[in-house]
Amino acid sequence: MVRDREREPATNGVVDKGVDKGVERPVKPEVRDRGDYQRDNRDREKENAVHPPPRAGPKPSRTSAKELDGYVGFANLPNQVYRKAVKKGFEFTLMVVGESGMGKSTLINSLFLTDLYNEHEYPGPSHRIKKSVNIDTAQVLLKEGGVTLRLTTVDTPGFGDAVDNSNCWQPVTDFIDNKYDEYLNQESHVNRKSNMSDNRVHACLYFIAPTGHGLKPLDVEFMKRLHEKVNIIPLISKADTLTPEECRNFKKTILNEIAQHKIKIYEFPDCDDEEENKLQKKLKERVPFAVVGSNTVIQVDSKKVRGRQYPWGIVQVENLEHNDFLALRNMLIRTHMQDLKDVTNNVHYENFRYSKLAVVTDGKVKNTGSKEIKKSESDSKKKDRDNKDPLTQMQDEKKEHVSKMKKMEAEMEQVFEMKVKEKKQKLKDSEADLQRRAEQMKKSLEQQEKELEQKRAQFEKEKESWEEQQRAEDMRRQTSMETLDGGKKPKDKKKGLF
């Protein structure tokens, strides 16, 4: 259900002119809630009805309703909007916060009738070792009746499980602020996309333990930290552990403590239709919702339902007589999903955007820990910056950033050129050194070659002299042998018979 909300311009209340010095002083941003916007709209309508605002221009224009004689076709505009919205699809981000073992994953599976959290990918609390607060996001594309919904679930495992739970809500607040900051950066771009992704947290289901005694200090502190950043919907988990009387008393106690601590939970919008008011009244009476989740399908009277089997009977998840799960699903998905997105955009995101732009106009820069950094500009620059609107300030900052980047780029180019020159010089030096070593090695090899040639020539000479000596020796031996053979007479052979 879509409802248009008008909001006051973000510039109201930003600057207060002093009476004495006439100097513009920044005023602390005023945090607005849903009731402020509704009251402003009603007061403006009454004022316009009693005293119509003056019309600008030389000639006031008159508007009168006229019936057409035939069919023109602009009555088909809702169908065009419907077709465009269905073609584009819808986005919704749901955050679940609570201690381990509260049944958060089981409830998400029961809400969307699918196993978004299965046992293999998401083990139970008994199998988890880490006790620090983590932020786990999971996205799934759901299709129903030709309508697509990109659902993003944000889980906070480890919340409230440590012995010291001081500042355990800080990761959750940082996550929500980061998503707001990402969306603000997308809006601030010069060339904005027509289909910007909306990852802002639209609803936060906060699970309260079914103790029956009221809220814990951690519950109070967490909701006080986040009630101005996100739509908080309190839930009583595992409501089947309480009797109907205990559940009613527990709800009254929780609402009293929420009102006592001035915690703002999600409020249902005002409607002009009596039937819608009756339905919303029934939903308001069930806040905080006492819910039961289950991943088990049980057959009851030849009908399969999600429920929990006990020795004394069956607790049906989708039975309003047993718990408030069906009312929560109707409110969260079927009737008020668009209203949750509108409140997130028109109230919580506007407060965040207002505070961000007010800080920019005041000339203050805050770090992630929300601590102010000392100003480094001169007084004249501060005064000029205070007189500028946020868009002009952002453009100036962009120009300054571009100039700084160009300066850094020039410095980096100079450093790069110096390093290239040094590298070239090193390469030249190493090349000269290698050439010198090569020449030295060449000279040494030539010297060795000469020495070897000399040794070879000397060896050849020695060989020739030795061969001559051997030949002379052989000649002397042969001569001596011949001389000995010539001096002896040959013996007569004996004559044989043959």
Side-chain angles (χ1 to χ4, degrees):
M1 182 181 299
V2 180
R3 296 178 178 83
D4 297 332
R5 289 183 175 79
E6 299 179 2
R7 59 182 178 82
E8 292 292 333
T11 56
N12 291 345
V14 175
V15 177
D16 182 17
K17 294 186 177 180
V19 179
D20 299 331
K21 299 181 180 181
V23 181
E24 295 183 353
R25 297 192 302 269
V27 180
K28 184 179 179 181
E30 178 185 1
V31 178
R32 301 174 63 82
D33 57 3
R34 182 197 190 101
D36 294 336
Y37 284 92
Q38 293 179 350
R39 285 192 293 272
D40 292 343
N41 293 337
R42 290 195 296 266
D43 295 342
R44 189 159 48 250
E45 290 176 357
K46 292 180 181 178
E47 182 67 22
N48 292 340
V50 178
H51 301 287
R55 299 182 181 273
K59 203 172 185 179
S61 60
R62 298 180 60 186
T63 304
S64 60
K66 291 185 178 181
E67 293 292 336
L68 302 178
D69 296 336
Y71 178 74
V72 176
F74 58 82
N76 197 37
L77 280 174
N79 296 331
Q80 298 179 25
V81 175
Y82 169 77
R83 287 194 298 269
K84 184 176 179 181
V86 170
K87 183 179 180 180
K88 181 181 177 182
F90 300 91
E91 297 175 335
F92 191 74
T93 302
L94 180 64
M95 174 181 281
V96 289
V97 182
E99 300 176 3
S100 299
M102 290 285 189
K104 301 187 292 294
S105 303
T106 305
L107 182 68
I108 295 298
N109 293 339
S110 303
L111 279 173
F112 296 95
L113 298 178
T114 183
D115 292 334
L116 297 176
Y117 294 92
N118 51 39
E119 297 179 357
H120 301 288
E121 297 181 1
Y122 300 92
S126 59
H127 299 283
R128 295 172 186 163
I129 301 176
K130 296 182 179 179
K131 294 299 181 182
S132 59
V133 182
N134 299 326
I135 304 296
D136 295 340
T137 60
Q139 284 190 358
V140 63
L141 188 64
L142 303 177
K143 294 184 179 180
E144 181 185 28
V147 179
T148 59
L149 174 66
R150 185 170 67 87
L151 175 66
T152 304
T153 57
V154 183
D155 195 4
T156 56
F159 178 83
D161 296 341
V163 177
D164 185 8
N165 292 313
S166 301
N167 298 327
C168 65
W169 52 81
Q170 193 62 43
V172 182
T173 57
D174 291 343
F175 178 83
I176 295 174
D177 289 340
N178 289 336
K179 294 303 176 182
Y180 283 151
D181 207 359
E182 290 177 3
Y183 194 82
L184 180 60
N185 291 334
Q186 290 182 5
E187 283 189 336
S188 303
H189 287 169
V190 177
N191 297 323
R192 293 186 297 178
K193 298 180 180 179
S194 58
N195 52 348
M196 293 189 302
S197 59
D198 186 7
N199 295 322
R200 297 171 295 182
V201 180
H202 301 116
C204 175
L205 302 181
Y206 186 74
F207 287 73
I208 302 171
T211 58
H213 302 297
L215 297 174
K216 298 179 181 179
L218 178 61
D219 302 333
V220 175
E221 191 64 28
F222 175 83
M223 288 192 285
K224 288 177 68 176
R225 297 276 181 171
L226 267 77
H227 69 126
E228 292 181 353
K229 297 177 179 292
V230 69
N231 297 314
I232 297 178
I233 303 174
L235 306 179
I236 300 174
S237 63
K238 297 184 177 181
D240 50 347
T241 59
L242 300 173
T243 63
E245 185 65 26
E246 291 174 345
C247 187
R248 285 193 293 269
N249 295 333
F250 192 34
K251 286 184 176 183
K252 292 179 181 179
T253 304
I254 292 174
L255 292 177
N256 291 334
E257 292 186 4
I258 287 176
Q260 180 181 357
H261 292 93
K262 298 180 180 180
I263 298 173
K264 301 174 184 178
I265 60 176
Y266 173 70
E267 297 179 1
F268 295 94
D270 297 333
C271 298
D272 299 332
D273 192 359
E274 293 183 1
E275 294 183 359
E276 290 186 1
N277 283 330
K278 290 180 181 179
L279 293 175
Q280 291 193 5
K281 185 178 180 181
K282 292 180 181 179
L283 291 175
K284 289 180 182 179
E285 292 174 353
R286 292 183 177 271
V287 177
F289 298 96
V291 296
V292 176
S294 175
N295 293 328
T296 307
V297 178
I298 303 175
Q299 189 167 358
V300 179
D301 297 334
S302 67
K303 184 180 179 182
K304 293 184 178 180
V305 296
R306 284 183 178 249
R308 305 183 71 88
Q309 180 76 45
Y310 290 100
W312 44 265
I314 298 174
V315 177
Q316 299 181 18
V317 174
E318 298 181 357
N319 192 338
L320 287 175
E321 296 180 357
H322 294 178
N323 65 95
D324 301 331
F325 171 81
L326 193 60
L328 172 65
R329 188 174 68 181
N330 292 338
M331 183 276 295
L332 188 64
I333 301 175
R334 300 181 182 179
T335 59
H336 290 77
M337 178 179 283
Q338 186 61 41
D339 186 71
L340 288 167
K341 297 176 67 174
D342 291 342
V343 174
T344 301
N345 183 68
N346 297 336
V347 179
H348 301 299
Y349 173 68
E350 284 299 321
N351 289 334
F352 176 83
R353 178 176 173 274
Y354 184 86
S355 60
K356 275 282 185 178
L357 295 181
V359 168
V360 171
T361 54
D362 293 344
K364 299 177 182 178
V365 181
K366 295 185 178 181
N367 57 6
T368 54
S370 299
K371 295 181 179 180
E372 295 183 0
I373 301 176
K374 294 182 179 180
K375 302 176 185 178
S376 60
E377 296 103 358
S378 61
D379 295 338
S380 60
K381 289 184 178 180
K382 292 179 186 178
K383 187 174 181 180
D384 294 339
R385 187 178 55 214
D386 291 339
N387 294 330
K388 293 180 180 179
D389 59 303
L391 293 178
T392 307
Q393 176 66 23
M394 291 174 66
Q395 292 177 357
D396 294 342
E397 290 179 356
K398 184 178 179 181
K399 292 179 181 178
E400 185 178 359
H401 178 70
V402 171
S403 62
K404 287 182 180 179
M405 292 297 294
K406 289 183 179 179
K407 185 178 179 181
M408 291 175 62
E409 186 178 357
E411 293 177 355
M412 291 176 68
E413 287 181 354
Q414 292 178 359
V415 173
F416 179 74
E417 290 178 357
M418 291 177 60
K419 289 186 177 181
V420 168
K421 289 181 180 179
E422 292 177 357
K423 194 68 175 179
K424 286 183 178 180
Q425 187 65 31
K426 287 182 180 179
L427 289 174
K428 288 181 179 179
D429 295 342
S430 61
E431 185 178 0
D433 189 18
L434 290 173
Q435 190 174 2
R436 180 177 54 80
R437 289 182 182 181
E439 291 177 355
Q440 289 179 356
M441 290 178 66
K442 185 178 180 181
K443 289 180 180 179
S444 63
L445 289 173
E446 290 177 354
Q447 184 68 25
Q448 290 178 6
E449 187 177 2
K450 289 181 181 179
E451 291 178 357
L452 287 174
E453 289 292 335
Q454 292 176 359
K455 289 181 180 180
R456 183 178 180 180
Q458 186 178 0
F459 174 75
E460 291 292 338
K461 289 180 181 180
E462 291 178 356
K463 183 180 178 182
E464 289 177 357
S465 63
W466 183 79
E467 287 178 350
E468 290 178 356
Q469 291 177 2
Q470 289 294 325
R471 282 195 297 269
E473 187 70 24
D474 291 340
M475 291 292 291
R476 284 195 298 270
R477 287 179 182 175
Q478 188 176 4
T479 305
S480 61
M481 289 295 293
E482 290 177 353
T483 304
L484 290 174
D485 291 341
K488 291 182 180 181
K489 293 180 179 179
K491 294 181 179 180
D492 295 335
K493 293 183 180 180
K494 295 181 178 180
K495 295 181 180 180
L497 296 177
F498 302 100

